[in-house]
Amino acid sequence: MSDSPAESWRRLSAAQQPAWPDTGELRSVMDQLSAAPPLVLASECDLLRHKMAAVARGEAVLLQGGDCAETFDGLTADNIYGKIKTLLQMAVVLTHATALPVVKIGRMAGQYAKPRSSPVERRGTVELPSYRGDAVNAVEFTAAARRPDPWRMKRMYESSATTLNLVRALTKGGFADLRQVHAWNRGFVTTAEARERYEALADEIGRSLAFMDACGVDTSELATAEFFVGHEGLLLDYEAALTRTEPDDGRAYATSGHLLWIGERTRDLDGAHVEYFSRVANPIAVKLSPHATPDDVLGLIDRLDPGREPGRLTFVVRAGADRIRDVLPTLVEKVTAEGALVCWVSDPMHGNTVIAPSGHKTRLFESVVDEVRGFVEVHRSLGTHPGGVHVELTGDDVTECVGGGNAVLEENLHRRYETACDPRLNHTQSLELAFLLAEMYRPLTSPVDVRAARTRRPSASRTGPR
């Protein structure tokens, strides 16, 4: 077995991988992907790692968002416009409120595979393979549709390339102009249920832009935006086929996306996913459920960030609104005492999923907001930096999450329930979350004070077996 970064994981147990019925077809697809151009460049990944280091030091904030699961049918210009527009609108609000740069990462251009709690789905007496995302099989409940098809990974690559081309054109071609984004936000505030609550912040942003104009500030750079993409690095055959090694320094990169994450179901310290991602130079994130222990987290640091490099490792905490204030403090304290400078990010979506009376999976907007609030409160009490948020959202007016200022009611979930997997915040709910986040972040101390508080914290030793 080769010890190269693209192959060393094969000697270990790989969770959540499809049972490909034809290994010959799989090899053919992997051969083609191995010869294909990279989707992202090593230099772009290095730039993002540099920016994530600023998040870890308390000098920037992360905003990551997009579909729960991308679909091939959903690959339209309007869908991409909507997600980019929503993230840019949120970022402007957070930038002004925090007075910090916002690192923007789309949950897109690769989010086509999903882990499942069971390898099979049963309906009545019929049992078929579970739907694992469009990269593996189709959602229709038929034997033909649910058969894992490796050629879908080739289509995922092509779809991701298409998405990236449009993302780059939009963010560099004037779509991201700050004045246009602010005008969009003014339109949201005008029609928002809580208009008065958000109007003051929108007015502040407007005055700031007017002040720059009056001072003759060159604002040409405000017409573009740096934007990165990421996805869960679930399908290891796909990630391995797109691994590229830089000839000058021999560093390997996963070129399927800028930042990739390891899910809660695949973060086994001795598993194939941790092995693969320990060997590539991208910035890496790991999802942590309430079941994650301090020893789990410290072990992940040892495996994924042995050099303790700021910006290399991000922990995305998905504890649930009812548990975040109990679970998070110990993890943050142990990591801080260890001297590791990681990024802490809140995923307020996955721990707050409920089933509505109609049978739809949904999330209560108020629970989403409360988990983020708890996340910020914990970091504020510990003198550490709440690095940002990772949310599932869309730019469309879907009815998948319940609540918000212009409330989606449970009885209306069926009207535009369009997600391929889990419920997403719609455009209005996403912008409302941004304005509420702005209120939470504004009382925070400066990055200098955060770092000073961190250095004053008492040391602690690891506990339990490693």
Side-chain angles (χ1 to χ4, degrees):
M1 186 70 66
S2 170
D3 194 47
S4 70
E7 297 296 325
S8 64
W9 61 271
R10 295 187 186 278
R11 67 168 73 92
L12 303 174
S13 174
Q16 294 287 331
Q17 302 304 290
W20 303 111
D22 190 325
T23 56
E25 284 189 341
L26 177 62
R27 283 193 298 271
S28 295
V29 175
M30 295 305 101
D31 287 345
Q32 291 188 31
L33 291 178
S34 295
L39 289 171
V40 303
L41 300 178
S43 58
E44 296 172 336
C45 298
D46 289 343
L47 175 61
L48 178 57
R49 197 170 64 245
H50 174 74
K51 292 185 175 297
M52 295 300 292
V55 175
R57 291 191 297 265
E59 299 165 356
V61 175
L62 173 71
L63 173 63
Q64 183 166 9
D67 285 322
C68 166
E70 293 177 283
T71 63
F72 298 145
D73 288 343
L75 178 57
T76 67
D78 285 346
N79 282 346
I80 297 171
Y81 289 150
K83 288 190 282 283
I84 298 294
K85 176 181 176 180
T86 301
L87 288 167
L88 291 174
Q89 288 181 259
M90 295 175 73
V92 166
V93 174
L94 290 176
T95 299
H96 184 80
T98 62
L100 296 173
V102 173
V103 181
K104 297 170 283 295
I105 305 179
R107 184 183 162 109
M108 58 201 311
Q111 186 58 22
Y112 286 97
K114 294 292 292 181
R116 304 316 301 249
S117 57
S118 172
V120 297
E121 179 182 353
R122 296 179 180 87
R123 297 187 187 180
T125 60
V126 179
E127 178 179 288
L128 295 174
S130 292
Y131 171 63
R132 290 184 175 273
D134 275 15
V136 177
N137 53 10
V139 70
E140 293 79 18
F141 193 72
T142 67
R146 292 297 178 89
R147 178 185 183 272
D149 179 3
W151 289 102
R152 285 177 164 267
M153 288 189 284
K154 178 74 178 305
R155 188 173 177 187
M156 170 168 64
Y157 170 85
E158 295 164 348
S159 299
S160 298
T162 299
T163 298
L164 274 167
N165 286 340
L166 185 52
V167 167
R168 286 166 173 149
L170 289 173
T171 54
K172 300 301 181 185
F175 186 77
D177 186 275
L178 181 57
R179 286 170 177 76
Q180 174 173 266
V181 176
H182 177 58
W184 292 335
N185 277 342
R186 288 293 320 184
F188 160 74
V189 169
T190 300
T191 58
E193 185 79 14
R195 172 179 175 176
E196 293 182 3
R197 184 173 186 177
Y198 307 139
E199 205 160 24
L201 179 56
D203 288 343
E204 287 178 21
I205 297 173
R207 286 195 296 272
S208 296
L209 291 172
F211 175 77
M212 287 190 291
D213 285 338
C215 292
V217 175
D218 181 6
T219 59
S220 58
E221 291 188 3
L222 300 180
T224 65
E226 285 185 323
F227 197 91
F228 303 91
V229 298
H231 61 270
E232 180 174 357
L234 185 64
L235 300 179
L236 290 178
D237 286 306
Y238 179 79
E239 303 302 339
L242 288 173
T243 304
R244 303 289 182 267
T245 300
E246 289 296 287
D248 54 345
D249 59 11
R251 285 166 38 114
Y253 290 81
T255 68
S256 62
H258 299 112
L259 178 144
L260 284 77
W261 69 87
I262 303 171
E264 166 68 17
R265 293 186 177 100
T266 54
R267 61 173 176 80
D268 179 5
L269 289 175
D270 298 318
H273 288 81
V274 170
E275 167 63 20
Y276 171 76
F277 285 108
S278 73
R279 306 289 300 279
V280 296
N282 304 59
I284 299 300
V286 183
K287 291 286 191 83
L288 301 176
S289 79
H291 305 296
T293 68
D295 284 337
D296 292 336
V297 174
L298 295 176
L300 287 163
I301 294 173
D302 286 344
R303 288 297 315 278
L304 296 170
D305 185 25
R308 305 300 193 263
E309 177 190 357
R312 160 63 175 175
L313 185 58
T314 296
F315 287 128
V316 184
V317 184
R318 38 163 292 186
D322 58 340
R323 302 193 64 180
I324 186 66
R325 295 170 178 84
D326 298 324
V327 168
L328 185 58
T330 301
L331 299 182
V332 175
E333 287 176 322
K334 292 292 185 180
V335 171
T336 302
E338 183 69 15
L341 199 57
V342 305
C343 304
W344 291 100
V345 172
S346 172
D347 169 0
M349 308 295 290
H350 285 88
N352 296 302
T353 305
V354 296
I355 304 298
S358 61
H360 292 91
K361 283 197 296 186
T362 190
R363 287 150 177 167
L364 305 181
F365 181 77
E366 288 70 22
S367 297
V368 170
V369 172
D370 189 46
E371 177 157 359
V372 178
R373 183 177 291 112
F375 173 81
V376 173
E377 289 171 357
V378 168
H379 281 285
R380 185 180 301 159
S381 69
L382 296 176
T384 51
H385 180 52
V389 294
H390 179 143
V391 293
E392 294 178 341
L393 59 80
T394 176
D396 299 326
D397 294 323
V398 298
T399 54
E400 296 171 4
C401 292
V402 175
N406 297 336
V408 174
L409 305 177
E410 282 188 349
E411 54 265 34
N412 295 332
L413 285 173
H414 67 281
R415 290 186 176 176
R416 287 198 63 183
Y417 196 94
E418 300 173 1
T419 181
C421 193
D422 290 335
R424 305 160 294 176
L425 299 177
N426 62 28
H427 179 70
T428 300
Q429 291 166 332
S430 299
L431 297 183
E432 184 169 2
L433 176 62
F435 276 89
L436 293 173
L437 274 170
E439 294 177 358
M440 298 176 204
Y441 269 79
R442 294 195 94 168
L444 290 175
T445 55
S446 71
V448 173
D449 293 334
V450 169
R451 292 197 299 276
R454 184 183 293 119
T455 60
R456 290 195 299 268
R457 294 194 57 74
S459 61
S461 60
R462 294 184 180 182
T463 58
R466 297 301 310 279

